[in-house]
Amino acid sequence: MPTQTHRLIIHELARCDECAVLRVSGELDQSGEKFFLRTLGASVMAGHRHLVLDVTALVFCDSRGLNCLLGVRWLLRRREGQLLLAGAGRHLAELLTLTGSTEILPRYLTVGQALLALPPAHRPTWPPAPSPRSDGAAADTPPPGP
């Protein structure tokens, strides 16, 4: 179930006891800061010590957004966990490089690659199984024709 604020959407893609994979879309700046921290904090409080953020659809991240990422990383490290980024675009990659954050916020090309950095027992099933639609068909199949 996706949750969102004005310009930021966070959608859980997969999870297990120790880890959650979340897709972060839109803009991570001051306007979405509280929402981002509240949503990811809830995931951590639910027991997820490892978070993989699929940021392929994150179109903007400023210094406030970077501070959010660093704050979540700090929280996870206190729980002996990790924050891993998957699919960072050019803008986010440049921000991480310019601020010297590439060493503390690991980046991977794909979610699958990021999950391989975690112990096998802490990885959710990836890719996740398609969600069933309300009409009983699989989510990736088109609805029946007229």
Side-chain angles (χ1 to χ4, degrees):
M1 166 85 48
T3 54
Q4 72 182 62
T5 187
H6 180 64
R7 297 183 310 221
L8 184 67
I9 300 170
I10 302 173
H11 182 81
E12 184 177 272
L13 300 176
R15 68 179 160 150
C16 65
D17 290 341
E18 297 283 330
C19 178
V21 178
L22 305 170
R23 176 173 292 137
V24 180
S25 307
E27 300 177 11
L28 181 53
D29 56 13
Q30 182 180 1
S31 68
E33 177 177 34
K34 288 180 184 176
F35 168 72
F36 180 84
L37 293 173
R38 184 175 55 247
T39 303
L40 272 65
S43 186
V44 173
M45 295 307 292
H48 301 125
R49 294 185 310 125
H50 307 287
L51 295 179
V52 175
L53 301 185
D54 175 353
V55 292
T56 54
L58 186 65
V59 296
F60 181 78
C61 181
D62 64 4
S63 61
R64 295 292 286 259
L66 177 60
N67 282 333
C68 289
L69 292 171
L70 294 172
V72 170
R73 179 207 177 261
W74 176 84
L75 179 63
L76 292 169
R77 296 288 291 186
R78 290 188 50 99
R79 288 170 168 70
E80 298 179 3
Q82 297 181 63
L83 176 65
L84 307 172
L85 304 178
R90 190 186 84 223
H91 178 77
L92 181 57
E94 287 175 358
L95 178 64
L96 295 173
T97 300
L98 288 171
T99 60
S101 303
T102 54
E103 295 297 318
I104 59 175
L105 289 171
R107 292 180 299 152
Y108 299 86
L109 291 177
T110 67
V111 170
Q113 290 175 352
L115 287 171
L116 290 175
L118 299 175
H122 297 179
R123 297 179 200 154
T125 301
W126 192 261
S131 304
R133 294 188 345 198
S134 61
D135 62 5
D140 57 353
T141 58

